[in-house]
Amino acid sequence: MIVRVVEYRIDRRSGVATYVQIVQQTKRALRLGLLEPGDRLPTAREVVEATAINPNTVLKAYRELEREGLVEARRGLGTFVRRTLGAGAHTADTPLRAELDDWARRARSAGLGREDVDAFFTAVLDEHFPKGDP
């Protein structure tokens, strides 16, 4: 059995609610194939120890993920992934990912900061994936 671990990183300056950051990061891991059905999410205690956030915040995020049918809580065992969101298993290792990785490396070498790259990427996404387009 392979054990996959998601490590949450909380950006307190982002303006995004902490529980929303946990939901977003979990969904990102599901899309990239970093988490798969049957994997256990970190316990609320583990997340609290790693991020110094309130346990109720973690539980709120996990309840939201459960409401969306992505995870299920098993009393006394933890919270487990029910389904993925990715286009296929191991999407993190696709050639497209490698191309994007190379592009990000070139952007950084060209002196672009994270916010610059985010602006470029968001503009391209908006052009190719209009709002409301799945």
Side-chain angles (χ1 to χ4, degrees):
M1 178 176 150
I2 298 172
V3 177
R4 286 174 275 281
V5 178
V6 61
E7 292 183 21
Y8 297 110
R9 289 178 173 74
I10 305 304
D11 182 354
R12 299 178 196 298
R13 296 171 289 149
S14 72
V16 176
T18 304
Y19 89 94
V20 173
Q21 291 182 51
I22 292 172
V23 169
Q24 290 172 338
Q25 290 174 38
T26 304
K27 286 181 176 181
R28 186 175 307 124
L30 291 169
R31 286 190 191 286
L32 294 174
L34 302 174
L35 286 173
E36 295 181 356
D39 289 344
R40 184 180 67 80
L41 295 182
T43 65
R45 176 176 286 173
E46 290 168 340
V47 177
V48 167
E49 289 173 1
T51 61
I53 61 174
N54 187 303
N56 291 327
T57 301
V58 180
L59 297 174
K60 182 176 182 178
Y62 284 10
R63 279 192 305 271
E64 175 66 20
L65 291 163
E66 189 170 19
R67 187 188 65 72
E68 293 183 30
L70 299 173
V71 302
E72 66 178 332
R74 297 181 192 160
R75 191 169 188 85
L77 298 175
T79 303
F80 293 83
V81 174
R82 289 185 65 196
R83 66 182 179 91
T84 64
L85 291 172
H90 309 294
T91 55
D93 296 328
T94 67
L96 287 174
R97 169 71 159 93
E99 290 176 32
L100 185 57
D101 188 59
D102 183 55
W103 182 86
R105 199 176 358 270
R106 289 191 328 240
R108 187 171 193 165
S109 294
L112 295 175
R114 184 182 184 98
E115 290 180 0
D116 300 321
V117 169
D118 184 51
F120 275 121
F121 194 72
T122 300
V124 171
L125 280 177
D126 289 347
E127 182 179 323
H128 293 279
F129 298 92
K131 299 291 183 201
D133 197 11

